[in-house]
Amino acid sequence: MPTIAIVGAGPGLGLSIARRFGREGFAVALLSRNQAKLDDLVGQLTQDGVTAAGFTADVLDRPALVNALTRAEAQLGPIDVLEYSPAPAGRQNAVNPIVEALDVTVESIQPEIEYYVYGAVTAIQHVLPGMIERGTGTLLVTTGASSALVFPRMGNIGLATAALRNWVLALNASLADKGVYAAHVPLATFIGRGGPETQADTIAEIYWELYTKRDQAERLYSTL
């Protein structure tokens, strides 16, 4: 049974991606900060007939993230697909505010780099050697659209996610002859706030298409 690990799993897109891959016979490892929420998601997936397990990890705690992925592999088997999409929780507070492009400082960038880039590098570099050794695997990295489009009000976040986007596109090229596929998914939509095109189940189809077709380094999805 192949396994997908979803880093930043939640009741919206993460759950929909889990269900979409679960319907195709994947076991699902869910990673997020809150075990109670993970238990609820696992319960929903189990009712759907999907093999699933939850593992607590904070992407800002890199050893804990590695530990969670290691435990997921021990329980569910090698990770065939890694989907990385940490939720930008707490962005609207004084601890980690969104900063407009003109006001960006080193201090305002660093937390975003830690959150988006270092977490993704940690997760990907943990699963990548095994994927390369097996000659197969998929890396799907999700960000907001400021990684690929210009949103001046998202100055510090755009800087960090654009760096992550650049690395994923470089991985796509570097891994082309190794059987491993990497793709970036920038989302320009408010998930669940609109018609069918904004719903998580609709967006989850993109991830299955990318996994099966392996023909795009990037898929921008916009409903704005």
Side-chain angles (χ1 to χ4, degrees), residues 10 15 28-29 76 109-110 118 120-121 146-147 213:
L15 180 59
V28 179
L76 300 174
I109 298 168
Q110 186 59 39
Y118 294 169
V121 170
S146 62
S147 62
K213 295 181 179 179

PDB file of all heavy atoms in Angstrom, residues 10 15 28-29 76 109-110 118 120-121 146-147 213:
ATOM      1  N   GLY A  10      -5.198  19.609   7.835  1.00  0.00           N
ATOM      2  CA  GLY A  10      -6.310  20.236   8.526  1.00  0.00           C
ATOM      3  C   GLY A  10      -7.629  19.745   7.965  1.00  0.00           C
ATOM      4  O   GLY A  10      -7.661  18.898   7.063  1.00  0.00           O
ATOM      5  N   LEU A  15      -7.571  17.421   4.441  1.00  0.00           N
ATOM      6  CA  LEU A  15      -8.486  16.286   4.536  1.00  0.00           C
ATOM      7  C   LEU A  15      -8.973  15.859   3.156  1.00  0.00           C
ATOM      8  O   LEU A  15      -9.086  14.661   2.868  1.00  0.00           O
ATOM      9  CB  LEU A  15      -9.672  16.647   5.429  1.00  0.00           C
ATOM     10  CG  LEU A  15     -10.726  15.554   5.633  1.00  0.00           C
ATOM     11  CD1 LEU A  15     -10.116  14.300   6.237  1.00  0.00           C
ATOM     12  CD2 LEU A  15     -11.869  16.075   6.504  1.00  0.00           C
ATOM     13  N   VAL A  28      -2.585   7.093   4.648  1.00  0.00           N
ATOM     14  CA  VAL A  28      -2.405   8.534   4.835  1.00  0.00           C
ATOM     15  C   VAL A  28      -1.776   8.812   6.194  1.00  0.00           C
ATOM     16  O   VAL A  28      -2.291   8.392   7.237  1.00  0.00           O
ATOM     17  CB  VAL A  28      -3.749   9.279   4.743  1.00  0.00           C
ATOM     18  CG1 VAL A  28      -3.549  10.769   4.976  1.00  0.00           C
ATOM     19  CG2 VAL A  28      -4.401   9.039   3.381  1.00  0.00           C
ATOM     20  N   ALA A  29      -0.650   9.530   6.184  1.00  0.00           N
ATOM     21  CA  ALA A  29      -0.034  10.033   7.406  1.00  0.00           C
ATOM     22  C   ALA A  29      -0.328  11.528   7.492  1.00  0.00           C
ATOM     23  O   ALA A  29       0.009  12.281   6.578  1.00  0.00           O
ATOM     24  CB  ALA A  29       1.478   9.798   7.386  1.00  0.00           C
ATOM     25  N   LEU A  76       3.412   3.121   8.674  1.00  0.00           N
ATOM     26  CA  LEU A  76       2.670   2.998   7.415  1.00  0.00           C
ATOM     27  C   LEU A  76       3.530   2.575   6.225  1.00  0.00           C
ATOM     28  O   LEU A  76       3.000   2.286   5.159  1.00  0.00           O
ATOM     29  CB  LEU A  76       1.963   4.316   7.093  1.00  0.00           C
ATOM     30  CG  LEU A  76       0.945   4.793   8.132  1.00  0.00           C
ATOM     31  CD1 LEU A  76       0.428   6.185   7.763  1.00  0.00           C
ATOM     32  CD2 LEU A  76      -0.211   3.819   8.259  1.00  0.00           C
ATOM     33  N   ILE A 109      11.347  39.004   7.838  1.00  0.00           N
ATOM     34  CA  ILE A 109      11.506  37.899   6.888  1.00  0.00           C
ATOM     35  C   ILE A 109      11.847  36.596   7.602  1.00  0.00           C
ATOM     36  O   ILE A 109      11.328  35.526   7.255  1.00  0.00           O
ATOM     37  CB  ILE A 109      12.606  38.199   5.853  1.00  0.00           C
ATOM     38  CG1 ILE A 109      12.247  39.424   5.026  1.00  0.00           C
ATOM     39  CG2 ILE A 109      12.831  37.000   4.939  1.00  0.00           C
ATOM     40  CD1 ILE A 109      13.413  39.932   4.202  1.00  0.00           C
ATOM     41  N   GLN A 110      12.692  36.668   8.612  1.00  0.00           N
ATOM     42  CA  GLN A 110      13.240  35.458   9.218  1.00  0.00           C
ATOM     43  C   GLN A 110      12.185  34.468   9.702  1.00  0.00           C
ATOM     44  O   GLN A 110      12.294  33.261   9.430  1.00  0.00           O
ATOM     45  CB  GLN A 110      14.190  35.817  10.359  1.00  0.00           C
ATOM     46  CG  GLN A 110      14.916  34.617  10.963  1.00  0.00           C
ATOM     47  CD  GLN A 110      15.756  33.865   9.939  1.00  0.00           C
ATOM     48  OE1 GLN A 110      16.392  34.478   9.084  1.00  0.00           O
ATOM     49  NE2 GLN A 110      15.733  32.537  10.005  1.00  0.00           N
ATOM     50  N   TYR A 118      12.555  26.449   5.807  1.00  0.00           N
ATOM     51  CA  TYR A 118      13.289  25.474   6.610  1.00  0.00           C
ATOM     52  C   TYR A 118      12.441  24.235   6.894  1.00  0.00           C
ATOM     53  O   TYR A 118      12.957  23.114   6.910  1.00  0.00           O
ATOM     54  CB  TYR A 118      13.753  26.099   7.921  1.00  0.00           C
ATOM     55  CG  TYR A 118      14.784  27.198   7.769  1.00  0.00           C
ATOM     56  CD1 TYR A 118      15.124  28.013   8.849  1.00  0.00           C
ATOM     57  CD2 TYR A 118      15.420  27.446   6.557  1.00  0.00           C
ATOM     58  CE1 TYR A 118      16.059  29.027   8.729  1.00  0.00           C
ATOM     59  CE2 TYR A 118      16.349  28.462   6.419  1.00  0.00           C
ATOM     60  CZ  TYR A 118      16.670  29.253   7.509  1.00  0.00           C
ATOM     61  OH  TYR A 118      17.588  30.258   7.386  1.00  0.00           O
ATOM     62  N   ALA A 120      10.048  23.013   4.954  1.00  0.00           N
ATOM     63  CA  ALA A 120       9.960  22.231   3.722  1.00  0.00           C
ATOM     64  C   ALA A 120      11.263  21.509   3.426  1.00  0.00           C
ATOM     65  O   ALA A 120      11.252  20.330   3.036  1.00  0.00           O
ATOM     66  CB  ALA A 120       9.592  23.145   2.556  1.00  0.00           C
ATOM     67  N   VAL A 121      12.383  22.198   3.601  1.00  0.00           N
ATOM     68  CA  VAL A 121      13.681  21.561   3.361  1.00  0.00           C
ATOM     69  C   VAL A 121      13.857  20.364   4.298  1.00  0.00           C
ATOM     70  O   VAL A 121      14.312  19.291   3.878  1.00  0.00           O
ATOM     71  CB  VAL A 121      14.825  22.576   3.539  1.00  0.00           C
ATOM     72  CG1 VAL A 121      16.176  21.867   3.531  1.00  0.00           C
ATOM     73  CG2 VAL A 121      14.780  23.621   2.438  1.00  0.00           C
ATOM     74  N   SER A 146       1.255  34.491  -3.467  1.00  0.00           N
ATOM     75  CA  SER A 146       2.296  35.522  -3.428  1.00  0.00           C
ATOM     76  C   SER A 146       3.674  34.954  -3.728  1.00  0.00           C
ATOM     77  O   SER A 146       4.622  35.696  -3.949  1.00  0.00           O
ATOM     78  CB  SER A 146       2.310  36.230  -2.073  1.00  0.00           C
ATOM     79  OG  SER A 146       2.606  35.330  -1.025  1.00  0.00           O
ATOM     80  N   SER A 147       3.795  33.628  -3.755  1.00  0.00           N
ATOM     81  CA  SER A 147       5.057  33.000  -4.152  1.00  0.00           C
ATOM     82  C   SER A 147       5.334  33.183  -5.633  1.00  0.00           C
ATOM     83  O   SER A 147       6.489  33.213  -6.060  1.00  0.00           O
ATOM     84  CB  SER A 147       5.034  31.514  -3.826  1.00  0.00           C
ATOM     85  OG  SER A 147       3.994  30.871  -4.561  1.00  0.00           O
ATOM     86  N   LYS A 213      -0.132  12.539 -13.728  1.00  0.00           N
ATOM     87  CA  LYS A 213       0.384  12.985 -15.029  1.00  0.00           C
ATOM     88  C   LYS A 213       1.859  13.371 -14.980  1.00  0.00           C
ATOM     89  O   LYS A 213       2.580  13.218 -15.972  1.00  0.00           O
ATOM     90  CB  LYS A 213      -0.451  14.149 -15.551  1.00  0.00           C
ATOM     91  CG  LYS A 213      -1.887  13.768 -15.870  1.00  0.00           C
ATOM     92  CD  LYS A 213      -2.674  14.959 -16.416  1.00  0.00           C
ATOM     93  CE  LYS A 213      -4.097  14.554 -16.750  1.00  0.00           C
ATOM     94  NZ  LYS A 213      -4.896  15.700 -17.263  1.00  0.00           N
TER      95      LYS A 213
END
